[in-house]
PDB file of all heavy atoms in Angstrom:
ATOM      1  N   VAL A   6     -71.721 154.288 -77.043  1.00  0.00           N
ATOM      2  CA  VAL A   6     -71.797 155.365 -77.970  1.00  0.00           C
ATOM      3  C   VAL A   6     -73.359 155.503 -78.198  1.00  0.00           C
ATOM      4  O   VAL A   6     -74.067 154.565 -78.456  1.00  0.00           O
ATOM      5  CB  VAL A   6     -71.186 155.126 -79.293  1.00  0.00           C
ATOM      6  CG1 VAL A   6     -71.384 156.410 -80.307  1.00  0.00           C
ATOM      7  CG2 VAL A   6     -69.704 154.866 -79.226  1.00  0.00           C
ATOM      8  N   ARG A   7     -73.763 156.708 -77.823  1.00  0.00           N
ATOM      9  CA  ARG A   7     -75.253 156.981 -77.864  1.00  0.00           C
ATOM     10  C   ARG A   7     -75.520 158.065 -78.985  1.00  0.00           C
ATOM     11  O   ARG A   7     -74.759 158.944 -79.184  1.00  0.00           O
ATOM     12  CB  ARG A   7     -75.754 157.563 -76.611  1.00  0.00           C
ATOM     13  CG  ARG A   7     -75.654 156.694 -75.459  1.00  0.00           C
ATOM     14  CD  ARG A   7     -76.211 157.297 -74.145  1.00  0.00           C
ATOM     15  NE  ARG A   7     -75.837 156.500 -73.018  1.00  0.00           N
ATOM     16  CZ  ARG A   7     -76.566 155.413 -72.581  1.00  0.00           C
ATOM     17  NH1 ARG A   7     -77.623 155.009 -73.186  1.00  0.00           N
ATOM     18  NH2 ARG A   7     -76.107 154.771 -71.559  1.00  0.00           N
ATOM     19  N   PHE A   8     -76.602 157.812 -79.742  1.00  0.00           N
ATOM     20  CA  PHE A   8     -77.011 158.711 -80.845  1.00  0.00           C
ATOM     21  C   PHE A   8     -78.348 159.279 -80.602  1.00  0.00           C
ATOM     22  O   PHE A   8     -79.296 158.614 -80.131  1.00  0.00           O
ATOM     23  CB  PHE A   8     -77.026 158.004 -82.197  1.00  0.00           C
ATOM     24  CG  PHE A   8     -75.664 157.420 -82.625  1.00  0.00           C
ATOM     25  CD1 PHE A   8     -75.162 156.178 -82.333  1.00  0.00           C
ATOM     26  CD2 PHE A   8     -74.835 158.267 -83.179  1.00  0.00           C
ATOM     27  CE1 PHE A   8     -73.943 155.697 -82.626  1.00  0.00           C
ATOM     28  CE2 PHE A   8     -73.475 157.868 -83.546  1.00  0.00           C
ATOM     29  CZ  PHE A   8     -73.121 156.580 -83.319  1.00  0.00           C
ATOM     30  N   LYS A   9     -78.495 160.495 -81.020  1.00  0.00           N
ATOM     31  CA  LYS A   9     -79.761 161.233 -80.939  1.00  0.00           C
ATOM     32  C   LYS A   9     -79.943 161.827 -82.418  1.00  0.00           C
ATOM     33  O   LYS A   9     -79.182 162.584 -82.746  1.00  0.00           O
ATOM     34  CB  LYS A   9     -79.889 162.346 -79.933  1.00  0.00           C
ATOM     35  CG  LYS A   9     -81.183 163.016 -79.816  1.00  0.00           C
ATOM     36  CD  LYS A   9     -81.224 164.205 -78.725  1.00  0.00           C
ATOM     37  CE  LYS A   9     -80.913 163.555 -77.397  1.00  0.00           C
ATOM     38  NZ  LYS A   9     -80.936 164.652 -76.338  1.00  0.00           N
ATOM     39  N   ILE A  10     -81.047 161.457 -83.064  1.00  0.00           N
ATOM     40  CA  ILE A  10     -81.275 161.972 -84.437  1.00  0.00           C
ATOM     41  C   ILE A  10     -82.431 163.040 -84.277  1.00  0.00           C
ATOM     42  O   ILE A  10     -83.562 162.767 -83.845  1.00  0.00           O
ATOM     43  CB  ILE A  10     -81.709 160.881 -85.329  1.00  0.00           C
ATOM     44  CG1 ILE A  10     -80.595 159.798 -85.392  1.00  0.00           C
ATOM     45  CG2 ILE A  10     -81.972 161.513 -86.732  1.00  0.00           C
ATOM     46  CD1 ILE A  10     -80.881 158.537 -86.184  1.00  0.00           C
ATOM     47  N   ARG A  11     -82.022 164.283 -84.575  1.00  0.00           N
ATOM     48  CA  ARG A  11     -82.944 165.304 -84.482  1.00  0.00           C
ATOM     49  C   ARG A  11     -83.872 165.448 -85.713  1.00  0.00           C
ATOM     50  O   ARG A  11     -83.633 164.820 -86.672  1.00  0.00           O
ATOM     51  CB  ARG A  11     -82.170 166.714 -84.465  1.00  0.00           C
ATOM     52  CG  ARG A  11     -81.146 166.848 -83.223  1.00  0.00           C
ATOM     53  CD  ARG A  11     -81.905 167.237 -82.072  1.00  0.00           C
ATOM     54  NE  ARG A  11     -81.085 167.392 -81.017  1.00  0.00           N
ATOM     55  CZ  ARG A  11     -81.493 167.800 -79.843  1.00  0.00           C
ATOM     56  NH1 ARG A  11     -82.733 167.909 -79.544  1.00  0.00           N
ATOM     57  NH2 ARG A  11     -80.584 167.881 -78.850  1.00  0.00           N
ATOM     58  N   PRO A  12     -85.091 165.974 -85.443  1.00  0.00           N
ATOM     59  CA  PRO A  12     -86.028 166.125 -86.576  1.00  0.00           C
ATOM     60  C   PRO A  12     -85.552 166.760 -87.847  1.00  0.00           C
ATOM     61  O   PRO A  12     -85.944 166.429 -88.933  1.00  0.00           O
ATOM     62  CB  PRO A  12     -87.146 166.957 -86.047  1.00  0.00           C
ATOM     63  CG  PRO A  12     -87.028 166.886 -84.481  1.00  0.00           C
ATOM     64  CD  PRO A  12     -85.588 166.667 -84.282  1.00  0.00           C
ATOM     65  N   ASP A  13     -84.534 167.644 -87.687  1.00  0.00           N
ATOM     66  CA  ASP A  13     -83.840 168.306 -88.852  1.00  0.00           C
ATOM     67  C   ASP A  13     -82.842 167.546 -89.512  1.00  0.00           C
ATOM     68  O   ASP A  13     -82.197 167.960 -90.455  1.00  0.00           O
ATOM     69  CB  ASP A  13     -83.430 169.722 -88.468  1.00  0.00           C
ATOM     70  CG  ASP A  13     -82.293 169.663 -87.548  1.00  0.00           C
ATOM     71  OD1 ASP A  13     -81.829 168.619 -87.127  1.00  0.00           O
ATOM     72  OD2 ASP A  13     -81.804 170.795 -87.179  1.00  0.00           O
ATOM     73  N   GLY A  14     -82.578 166.226 -88.913  1.00  0.00           N
ATOM     74  CA  GLY A  14     -81.606 165.397 -89.550  1.00  0.00           C
ATOM     75  C   GLY A  14     -80.269 165.428 -88.909  1.00  0.00           C
ATOM     76  O   GLY A  14     -79.409 164.539 -89.248  1.00  0.00           O
ATOM     77  N   ARG A  15     -79.982 166.396 -88.028  1.00  0.00           N
ATOM     78  CA  ARG A  15     -78.673 166.430 -87.353  1.00  0.00           C
ATOM     79  C   ARG A  15     -78.529 165.140 -86.476  1.00  0.00           C
ATOM     80  O   ARG A  15     -79.589 164.791 -85.864  1.00  0.00           O
ATOM     81  CB  ARG A  15     -78.524 167.655 -86.532  1.00  0.00           C
ATOM     82  CG  ARG A  15     -78.364 168.882 -87.379  1.00  0.00           C
ATOM     83  CD  ARG A  15     -78.230 170.072 -86.453  1.00  0.00           C
ATOM     84  NE  ARG A  15     -79.259 170.281 -85.690  1.00  0.00           N
ATOM     85  CZ  ARG A  15     -79.374 170.649 -84.363  1.00  0.00           C
ATOM     86  NH1 ARG A  15     -78.304 170.791 -83.781  1.00  0.00           N
ATOM     87  NH2 ARG A  15     -80.590 170.816 -83.738  1.00  0.00           N
ATOM     88  N   VAL A  16     -77.416 164.636 -86.300  1.00  0.00           N
ATOM     89  CA  VAL A  16     -77.176 163.521 -85.495  1.00  0.00           C
ATOM     90  C   VAL A  16     -76.230 163.977 -84.398  1.00  0.00           C
ATOM     91  O   VAL A  16     -75.192 164.494 -84.518  1.00  0.00           O
ATOM     92  CB  VAL A  16     -76.471 162.289 -86.249  1.00  0.00           C
ATOM     93  CG1 VAL A  16     -76.215 161.217 -85.291  1.00  0.00           C
ATOM     94  CG2 VAL A  16     -77.331 161.946 -87.341  1.00  0.00           C
ATOM     95  N   GLU A  17     -76.629 163.678 -83.046  1.00  0.00           N
ATOM     96  CA  GLU A  17     -75.709 163.981 -81.974  1.00  0.00           C
ATOM     97  C   GLU A  17     -75.169 162.710 -81.415  1.00  0.00           C
ATOM     98  O   GLU A  17     -75.942 161.700 -81.376  1.00  0.00           O
ATOM     99  CB  GLU A  17     -76.601 164.719 -80.863  1.00  0.00           C
ATOM    100  CG  GLU A  17     -77.067 166.164 -81.231  1.00  0.00           C
ATOM    101  CD  GLU A  17     -77.684 166.669 -80.113  1.00  0.00           C
ATOM    102  OE1 GLU A  17     -77.696 166.314 -78.899  1.00  0.00           O
ATOM    103  OE2 GLU A  17     -78.384 167.856 -80.445  1.00  0.00           O
ATOM    104  N   GLU A  18     -74.019 162.655 -81.064  1.00  0.00           N
ATOM    105  CA  GLU A  18     -73.302 161.465 -80.678  1.00  0.00           C
ATOM    106  C   GLU A  18     -72.626 161.749 -79.393  1.00  0.00           C
ATOM    107  O   GLU A  18     -72.142 162.780 -79.151  1.00  0.00           O
ATOM    108  CB  GLU A  18     -72.176 161.196 -81.778  1.00  0.00           C
ATOM    109  CG  GLU A  18     -71.147 160.205 -81.305  1.00  0.00           C
ATOM    110  CD  GLU A  18     -70.084 160.162 -82.482  1.00  0.00           C
ATOM    111  OE1 GLU A  18     -70.294 159.478 -83.473  1.00  0.00           O
ATOM    112  OE2 GLU A  18     -69.101 160.935 -82.387  1.00  0.00           O
ATOM    113  N   ARG A  19     -72.728 160.830 -78.546  1.00  0.00           N
ATOM    114  CA  ARG A  19     -72.110 160.875 -77.042  1.00  0.00           C
ATOM    115  C   ARG A  19     -71.419 159.593 -76.828  1.00  0.00           C
ATOM    116  O   ARG A  19     -72.026 158.575 -76.817  1.00  0.00           O
ATOM    117  CB  ARG A  19     -73.254 161.195 -76.054  1.00  0.00           C
ATOM    118  CG  ARG A  19     -72.721 161.424 -74.634  1.00  0.00           C
ATOM    119  CD  ARG A  19     -73.707 161.855 -73.665  1.00  0.00           C
ATOM    120  NE  ARG A  19     -73.038 161.983 -72.279  1.00  0.00           N
ATOM    121  CZ  ARG A  19     -72.623 163.093 -71.876  1.00  0.00           C
ATOM    122  NH1 ARG A  19     -72.584 164.134 -72.610  1.00  0.00           N
ATOM    123  NH2 ARG A  19     -72.116 163.158 -70.597  1.00  0.00           N
ATOM    124  N   VAL A  20     -70.178 159.850 -76.428  1.00  0.00           N
ATOM    125  CA  VAL A  20     -69.345 158.580 -76.121  1.00  0.00           C
ATOM    126  C   VAL A  20     -69.107 158.579 -74.645  1.00  0.00           C
ATOM    127  O   VAL A  20     -68.791 159.621 -74.063  1.00  0.00           O
ATOM    128  CB  VAL A  20     -67.917 158.700 -76.812  1.00  0.00           C
ATOM    129  CG1 VAL A  20     -67.086 157.498 -76.517  1.00  0.00           C
ATOM    130  CG2 VAL A  20     -68.223 158.741 -78.300  1.00  0.00           C
ATOM    131  N   GLU A  21     -69.362 157.386 -73.993  1.00  0.00           N
ATOM    132  CA  GLU A  21     -69.204 157.245 -72.623  1.00  0.00           C
ATOM    133  C   GLU A  21     -68.211 156.109 -72.306  1.00  0.00           C
ATOM    134  O   GLU A  21     -68.195 155.148 -72.995  1.00  0.00           O
ATOM    135  CB  GLU A  21     -70.565 156.969 -71.829  1.00  0.00           C
ATOM    136  CG  GLU A  21     -71.522 158.082 -72.092  1.00  0.00           C
ATOM    137  CD  GLU A  21     -72.976 157.619 -71.760  1.00  0.00           C
ATOM    138  OE1 GLU A  21     -73.200 156.507 -71.398  1.00  0.00           O
ATOM    139  OE2 GLU A  21     -73.826 158.479 -71.823  1.00  0.00           O
ATOM    140  N   GLY A  22     -67.366 156.332 -71.207  1.00  0.00           N
ATOM    141  CA  GLY A  22     -66.473 155.211 -70.792  1.00  0.00           C
ATOM    142  C   GLY A  22     -65.230 155.178 -71.588  1.00  0.00           C
ATOM    143  O   GLY A  22     -64.447 154.204 -71.536  1.00  0.00           O
ATOM    144  N   VAL A  23     -64.843 156.228 -72.294  1.00  0.00           N
ATOM    145  CA  VAL A  23     -63.539 156.262 -73.028  1.00  0.00           C
ATOM    146  C   VAL A  23     -62.814 157.553 -72.552  1.00  0.00           C
ATOM    147  O   VAL A  23     -63.304 158.705 -72.689  1.00  0.00           O
ATOM    148  CB  VAL A  23     -63.849 156.371 -74.606  1.00  0.00           C
ATOM    149  CG1 VAL A  23     -62.417 156.379 -75.234  1.00  0.00           C
ATOM    150  CG2 VAL A  23     -64.579 155.167 -74.908  1.00  0.00           C
ATOM    151  N   ALA A  24     -61.582 157.376 -72.111  1.00  0.00           N
ATOM    152  CA  ALA A  24     -60.786 158.443 -71.612  1.00  0.00           C
ATOM    153  C   ALA A  24     -59.888 159.109 -72.571  1.00  0.00           C
ATOM    154  O   ALA A  24     -59.628 158.501 -73.661  1.00  0.00           O
ATOM    155  CB  ALA A  24     -59.983 157.983 -70.448  1.00  0.00           C
ATOM    156  N   GLY A  25     -59.588 160.239 -72.556  1.00  0.00           N
ATOM    157  CA  GLY A  25     -58.694 161.028 -73.385  1.00  0.00           C
ATOM    158  C   GLY A  25     -59.283 161.105 -74.842  1.00  0.00           C
ATOM    159  O   GLY A  25     -60.440 161.300 -75.048  1.00  0.00           O
ATOM    160  N   ASP A  26     -58.310 161.103 -75.813  1.00  0.00           N
ATOM    161  CA  ASP A  26     -58.713 161.294 -77.216  1.00  0.00           C
ATOM    162  C   ASP A  26     -59.116 159.951 -77.801  1.00  0.00           C
ATOM    163  O   ASP A  26     -59.421 159.869 -78.984  1.00  0.00           O
ATOM    164  CB  ASP A  26     -57.625 161.853 -78.017  1.00  0.00           C
ATOM    165  CG  ASP A  26     -56.336 160.978 -77.980  1.00  0.00           C
ATOM    166  OD1 ASP A  26     -56.347 160.020 -77.352  1.00  0.00           O
ATOM    167  OD2 ASP A  26     -55.458 161.370 -78.775  1.00  0.00           O
ATOM    168  N   GLY A  27     -59.312 158.864 -76.999  1.00  0.00           N
ATOM    169  CA  GLY A  27     -59.833 157.578 -77.477  1.00  0.00           C
ATOM    170  C   GLY A  27     -61.146 157.735 -78.135  1.00  0.00           C
ATOM    171  O   GLY A  27     -61.513 156.924 -79.017  1.00  0.00           O
ATOM    172  N   CYS A  28     -61.971 158.553 -77.686  1.00  0.00           N
ATOM    173  CA  CYS A  28     -63.350 158.648 -78.218  1.00  0.00           C
ATOM    174  C   CYS A  28     -63.386 159.143 -79.683  1.00  0.00           C
ATOM    175  O   CYS A  28     -64.085 158.688 -80.462  1.00  0.00           O
ATOM    176  CB  CYS A  28     -64.250 159.585 -77.393  1.00  0.00           C
ATOM    177  SG  CYS A  28     -64.525 161.174 -77.976  1.00  0.00           S
ATOM    178  N   GLN A  29     -62.371 160.048 -80.071  1.00  0.00           N
ATOM    179  CA  GLN A  29     -62.250 160.403 -81.403  1.00  0.00           C
ATOM    180  C   GLN A  29     -61.836 159.265 -82.314  1.00  0.00           C
ATOM    181  O   GLN A  29     -62.309 159.097 -83.316  1.00  0.00           O
ATOM    182  CB  GLN A  29     -61.466 161.574 -81.522  1.00  0.00           C
ATOM    183  CG  GLN A  29     -62.086 162.881 -81.053  1.00  0.00           C
ATOM    184  CD  GLN A  29     -61.242 164.170 -81.328  1.00  0.00           C
ATOM    185  OE1 GLN A  29     -60.106 164.009 -81.894  1.00  0.00           O
ATOM    186  NE2 GLN A  29     -61.792 165.274 -80.912  1.00  0.00           N
ATOM    187  N   GLN A  30     -60.922 158.513 -81.777  1.00  0.00           N
ATOM    188  CA  GLN A  30     -60.359 157.390 -82.445  1.00  0.00           C
ATOM    189  C   GLN A  30     -61.510 156.304 -82.633  1.00  0.00           C
ATOM    190  O   GLN A  30     -61.567 155.702 -83.800  1.00  0.00           O
ATOM    191  CB  GLN A  30     -59.178 156.794 -81.743  1.00  0.00           C
ATOM    192  CG  GLN A  30     -58.012 157.623 -81.724  1.00  0.00           C
ATOM    193  CD  GLN A  30     -56.981 157.101 -80.829  1.00  0.00           C
ATOM    194  OE1 GLN A  30     -57.014 156.029 -80.155  1.00  0.00           O
ATOM    195  NE2 GLN A  30     -55.749 157.892 -80.692  1.00  0.00           N
ATOM    196  N   LEU A  31     -62.335 156.155 -81.645  1.00  0.00           N
ATOM    197  CA  LEU A  31     -63.330 155.239 -81.737  1.00  0.00           C
ATOM    198  C   LEU A  31     -64.532 155.606 -82.819  1.00  0.00           C
ATOM    199  O   LEU A  31     -65.042 154.661 -83.394  1.00  0.00           O
ATOM    200  CB  LEU A  31     -64.048 155.173 -80.261  1.00  0.00           C
ATOM    201  CG  LEU A  31     -65.256 154.104 -80.143  1.00  0.00           C
ATOM    202  CD1 LEU A  31     -64.761 152.643 -80.271  1.00  0.00           C
ATOM    203  CD2 LEU A  31     -65.851 154.413 -78.746  1.00  0.00           C
TER     204      LEU A  31
END
Side-chain angles (χ1 to χ4, degrees):
V6 181
R7 298 182 191 276
F8 296 95
K9 184 183 293 186
I10 302 173
R11 300 278 182 186
D13 63 2
R15 289 182 299 137
V16 177
E17 292 182 12
E18 163 188 278
R19 181 174 179 91
V20 178
E21 301 168 356
V23 180
D26 62 354
C28 98
Q29 287 184 358
Q30 294 171 0
L31 179 68

